[in-house]
Amino acid sequence: DDAPPQPTAWKRVPDIGDRMWQRIPGDSRQVVAVYGAGPDSPNSTVELFVKQGSTWKRDRSWAAHNGRKGWTADHHEGDKRSPIGVFTLSDAGGVLDDPGAKLPYTKSASFQAPHYWNKAYWHDFDYVIAIDYNRVKGTSPNDPTRPEGQSKGGSIWLHMDHGSGTSACVSLPKSAMQYLLRTLDPRQHPVVVMGDTQDLKA
């Protein structure tokens, strides 16, 4: 599922409505679009779009997962739903060595998933990219600071997939995480736009 799709150029990222599009910073040249299958579905498709000149091109596409209960525009700690919105991508890290990330990368054993979790989840945080939701940019993804308060949740990441829905993060295959880490470039002001497909189109 890592094959580059046939190149097609768009004036803007497809299936993103005006409301969301206006929230994407004008200097962003890399957009990670997370198209959720439905408001209550844990299944999604992640596509990377890169701006070349005045047009956007789809660079890669992967099957992915989001919060196991779907999506919400008002995320709270423990609701098992991923937050809908547009968020910058500033920092990365994980248990494993830096694979050549352009984003600042923090390697730390502290990312290791607890071993009392299901074994399928043990490698979830081998690679992570922090989604800048209720966090301080320029810090390690596992920095606990929550500027909007603990009740609004946090530690929303792109991370490695275990084959089913997450607590609120977006999870992708290992090869996808490696590709994104090597591709997302702070100089291109990368963002993620995420939500169920109908909400993104609105």
Side-chain angles (χ1 to χ4, degrees), residues 111-165:
F111 283 101
Q112 178 65 58
H115 277 199
Y116 59 81
W117 287 13
N118 183 310
K119 194 171 181 179
Y121 296 23
W122 285 5
H123 293 284
D124 278 16
F125 312 131
D126 281 0
Y127 294 126
V128 310
I129 298 170
I131 292 169
D132 293 336
Y133 168 88
N134 198 17
R135 69 178 298 271
V136 178
K137 295 183 196 180
T139 61
S140 171
N142 59 3
D143 181 275
T145 309
R146 304 276 179 268
E148 296 175 48
Q150 198 67 32
S151 68
K152 294 292 287 179
S155 296
I156 311 289
W157 299 339
L158 302 175
H159 67 64
M160 282 172 43
D161 192 57
H162 53 248
S164 61

Side-chain angles (χ1 to χ4, degrees), residues 34-46 64-71 80-83 161-162 164-172 194-196:
V34 185
Y35 300 102
D40 302 313
S41 171
N43 301 315
S44 50
T45 300
V46 170
H65 290 98
N66 50 264
R68 61 179 64 97
K69 290 189 176 180
W71 297 92
K80 307 290 189 244
R81 292 178 179 271
S82 296
D161 192 57
H162 53 248
S164 61
T166 69
S167 293
C169 295
V170 174
S171 60
L172 301 102
M194 51 196 274
D196 65 276

